[in-house]
Amino acid sequence: MPDLSGPRLERKVAIVTGCASGIGAATVRRLRADGAQVLGTDVNPDGEAVCAEVGASFAVQDVSDTALWPSVVGNAVAAFGRLDILVNNAGVVSQASIEDVTDELWDRTYDINIKGTMAGCRAAIAAMKGNPGGSKGAIINIASTSAIGALPGDVAYCSSKGAVRVLTKSIAVHCAKEGYNIRCNAIVPGATETGILNRAEEAMPGLKAAVASTSPLNRLADPAETAAAIAFLASDECPYMTGAEMLVDGAMMAVHPGF
Ligand SMILES: NC(=O)c1ccc[n+]([C@@H]2O[C@H](COP(=O)([O-])OP(=O)(O)OC[C@H]3O[C@@H](n4cnc5c(N)ncnc54)[C@H](O)[C@@H]3O)[C@@H](O)[C@H]2O)c1
């Protein structure tokens, strides 16, 4: 059985992408509260203030720049001696249907949401294999309920998040079969009160209330609620969970479509 004494992420080292706002910022706060050393990254330098508030480190990073990933991971290992947790959270929406989407919009969405996530996993596994004491790690990729029920108005977003779901399973099976003690799981958020939804509300007033009503709880998720599930998957409390996806959606996807 894992040792569950003390703060559950004590002695663990984590990288959280997209830390400047929303779920990423809440995750930095939660992992720090649970005792982890954290490196937050974001293209937005505002992430520095979020991290400084809770004693986390910060680096500017565009996750889609795949060549940068090994040095981001290397810097965390150099600073803290190991890497235990990677939360691939950075993501963007594109708001274009199949008839409107341009190649540029498609590529940008895929570069951030899926290629960046892949590159993060690849660099993290290389580091986690070399952890002192043997291979060990937990990767959490952020998918979306729109990877399960598609959004007609955002073909690039929902299909890229669909790819994140299967990427997660492929990595989990690979690591298990190779005998690495590295788990890879996905969090599937529903409608969460963050920058993505607030920006969409500006373009489509009333959207937040409409989306909130699709959850039987009839409210949006607080990002801290999503971060709590991320912290669980990052911990040693679920060693048999890998290749799984955890819905944090207020039962949105549990509703029978006929009711
Ligand atoms: N909010 C929701 O309702 C919801 C639902 C399902 C899934 N998600 C997913 O949750 C994740 C977090 O989003 P959020 O809701 O907190 O939105 P958010 O806009 O508040 O946060 C996203 C963060 O990612 C950063 N980012 C964007 N592009 C980047 C890049 N190339 N490199 C590094 N950082 C980058 C942004 O600067 C921002 O800080 C995303 O992957 C999103 O798709 C959100």
Side-chain angles (χ1 to χ4, degrees):
M1 281 298 291
D3 175 10
L4 300 180
S5 59
R8 65 178 172 178
L9 300 182
E10 206 170 26
R11 292 185 298 276
K12 291 195 185 294
V13 176
I15 296 175
V16 179
T17 69
C19 72
S21 71
I23 294 169
T27 302
V28 168
R29 295 184 188 112
R30 177 60 196 244
L31 299 190
R32 283 293 294 145
D34 282 349
Q37 297 291 343
V38 178
L39 170 64
T41 79
D42 206 295
V43 274
N44 181 349
D46 289 352
E48 179 144 37
V50 171
C51 289
E53 213 175 88
V54 291
S57 304
F58 174 74
V60 172
Q61 179 195 18
D62 178 344
V63 295
S64 69
D65 185 346
T66 57
L68 252 188
W69 262 107
S71 64
V72 170
V73 167
N75 288 342
V77 173
F80 302 118
R82 53 186 298 119
L83 179 69
D84 300 285
I85 300 160
L86 170 65
V87 183
N88 278 309
N89 165 75
V92 289
V93 294
S94 49
Q95 286 173 355
S97 75
I98 185 59
E99 297 200 66
D100 307 323
V101 71
T102 61
D103 287 359
E104 291 73 23
L105 200 49
W106 180 270
D107 286 348
R108 177 171 177 272
T109 309
Y110 268 67
D111 281 352
I112 296 170
N113 292 358
I114 182 68
K115 197 172 173 190
T117 298
M118 174 282 296
C121 293
R122 184 171 60 194
I125 289 166
M128 288 168 173
K129 279 168 65 178
N131 270 336
S135 71
K136 188 163 169 40
I139 297 171
I140 298 101
N141 296 327
I142 308 304
S144 170
T145 45
S146 45
I148 302 173
L151 296 173
D154 203 334
V155 67
Y157 180 72
C158 65
S159 59
S160 67
K161 290 295 185 176
V164 169
R165 289 178 68 200
V166 186
L167 172 83
T168 300
K169 294 174 199 293
S170 175
I171 291 167
V173 174
H174 171 78
C175 289
K177 285 189 177 294
E178 290 297 320
Y180 307 151
N181 187 14
I182 300 172
R183 297 178 296 108
C184 186
N185 292 296
I187 287 284
V188 181
T192 313
E193 178 87 52
T194 68
I196 281 182
L197 259 195
N198 288 331
R199 286 188 294 278
E201 170 81 17
E202 278 168 26
M204 291 171 271
L207 177 88
K208 275 166 61 168
V211 172
S213 71
T214 61
S215 158
L217 294 181
N218 200 26
R219 66 172 176 85
L220 301 174
D222 185 297
E225 296 175 299
T226 317
I230 293 169
F232 170 70
L233 289 176
S235 78
D236 290 337
E237 293 171 25
C238 47
Y240 205 61
M241 284 188 76
T242 190
E245 43 194 21
M246 187 182 278
L247 274 69
V248 187
D249 72 339
M252 180 197 283
M253 302 309 291
V255 178
H256 188 290
F259 291 87

